[in-house]
Amino acid sequence: MCGIIGVVQKRGQVAPFLHQALKRLEYRGYDSVGMTTISSGHLHMKKDKGKIEEVHKKLNLDEMPGSIGIGHTRWATHGAPSQYNAHPHFDCSNEIAVVHNGVIDNFLELREELGSKGHKFSSETDTEVIPHMLEDYILDGMSLTEALTEVTHRIEGTYAIVAMTTKQDGKIVCTRDGNPLVIGKREGATYVSSDIPAFLPMTKDMILLLDGEVATLTTDGVEIRKLSNGAEVERETIEISWTADQAQKGGFPHFMLKEIHEQPDAIRNTLRLRPEVLQEAAKLIHEAKRVYFLAMGTSGYAAIAGKHMFASLAGILPDFELASDFSDTVYNALSEKDCVVAITQSGETTDTMMAVKYAKTFGVRVIALTNVVGSSITRIADHTVITQAGPEIGVAATKTFMVQLTALAQMALALSELTGFLDNKVIEAKRRFLEAMPDIVSEVISRNEERARRLAGLLYDQPSLLFLGRGISQATAEEGALKLKEISYNHAEAYSAGQSKHGPIALVQDDYPVFFIAPRDETRNRIIGNIMEMKARGASIISVIERSDEELKGLSDHWFAIPDGIEPEFSTMPYVVPLQLFSYYMARRKGFDPDKPRNLAKSVTVL
Ligand code: F6R
């Protein structure tokens, strides 16, 4: 939700870098974009509604003077996407520029107060109160760092804020509470951004900024202080393991397709998680009275698949709850004996963060499963498991879903080992099977990509599609339907195949497309029954099945083939791949950009 970048460098124009960095952040929001630089004591500004390249074509974002600048790509919350609501925002005298990610809850009250003092506003955003407040504090003689510190004492809500002023040239000041900001550093230049890929081509040295801290960036480095008492904070530099190439399209037309193809490597790397990390997670789960899996969206479907894995492999059945609804569902029925596993690829999703914070007030122990080192969730969790997908730029999650499943499978096996639920030989055999998964997924991609493309050519104008599965395959079906809705805008609904005859079957008429996720597991005979029911009503059956399953091929109008003999607990991993590819080609066939679906942003940092 909104991408922020700031850079202060010794020499050279920052504008071309800001422009490219914003492109790497565009997955966070893309309804408008803006940049401001300082040169010869003046602010230079370009901003407008639209995606970055549309705005660049109109305004030439690269042509701005100055070696210090900030930029923003927006996902609108307060105020429609427009030129005047685009960030950066300014004070009355155009000497202070601010970009912000988050929501200022008390902005109306502050706006009224500032208005009564004569401040003039030029947008409908909550953000604009910040430069006007900074203006007053700086007029009172404060430094930009002190002024921003004061602002944080007055505003309520969640935020990542980056500010600079012509009056105190050569520095950028930033702070955060509830929204991400990371700092990058190299000789002669310092960066701040909402996410690592923005500055990855320039440096792999990262410094974390935590909630409740303010940082002052100069070309010599960064000084971090606590907002509460101004005390200086020592913070070590972390070396980022991601490569700049991972954040490029690498010859693929879209990040989403590249990330689908990266899944075998992502699984391989996540299978190298250290055993102690998995064992500690297993121990916390074992010691708990009740275990809750909390997540949103795709991570939620990984959680549901994970629930099946834990039941089958480790004999415990965690509750899955949508993080957004957790406090409204559990009320006070939590205790320090419980354990929460929070699953969030970004580690920043506000719904998940709030649910975890709620759980923590009861003393619940928290395990975070995330793809981002140093993300917000890792700072409040008791234990963290980091998946190894590398940066995921496509808004629709693919490889991060895959590695969540990989990690959950390993956690379930570690728990089984700890409790003795499964025989050690069985656990070893399951582990060996997981080791083969990268090659299996690779084969599924190569055998099904062209099929997915052709099927999209046949089904692209279908107004509605149904996705059915039983047991763990219901999670696969849910993820398939979500991908399709997100990027191709077809209405798609997933259901338990068992439940389908209790209502959704009424939708079915001639040629209505119904996808069946039908591995040869113990649900198979009942799935065949459901296929027959749908066929009898004229549905067009598209199945995801074992390669040798001639019986189901005979019942299907179209099918995707998966290698035989997948261990049932791991079936979501290969079976979801044709659905990811199908969604991607549906979006392409309809002329939509799969990397930037409308109304969505990758990391949802509002409630
Ligand atoms: C779907 C998608 C979203 C996210 C959801 C949670 O493709 O990306 O549904 O899964 O917003 O995000 P994280 O995992 O970052 O908490």
Side-chain angles (χ1 to χ4, degrees), residues 296-299 343-347 349 352 395-397 404 482-483 486 602 604:
M296 298 306 297
T298 290
S299 297
I343 305 169
T344 161
Q345 68 80 20
S346 62
T349 299
T352 310
V395 166
Q404 287 168 344
L482 179 67
K483 285 288 89 82
E486 272 184 302
K602 187 150 190 73
V604 183

Side-chain angles (χ1 to χ4, degrees), residues 92 184 302-303 320 395 417:
C92 296
F320 167 66
V395 166
E417 199 167 38

Side-chain angles (χ1 to χ4, degrees), residues 37 46 58 127 158 161 205 210 223 257 262 277 390 418 443 499 513-514 572 594:
T37 55
K46 292 188 180 180
K58 237 168 48 186
T127 304
T158 60
I161 302 169
D205 287 342
L210 305 189
E223 183 187 277
L257 189 61
E262 281 173 346
V277 172
L418 179 70
E443 187 182 332
Q499 171 90 310
V514 184
T572 302

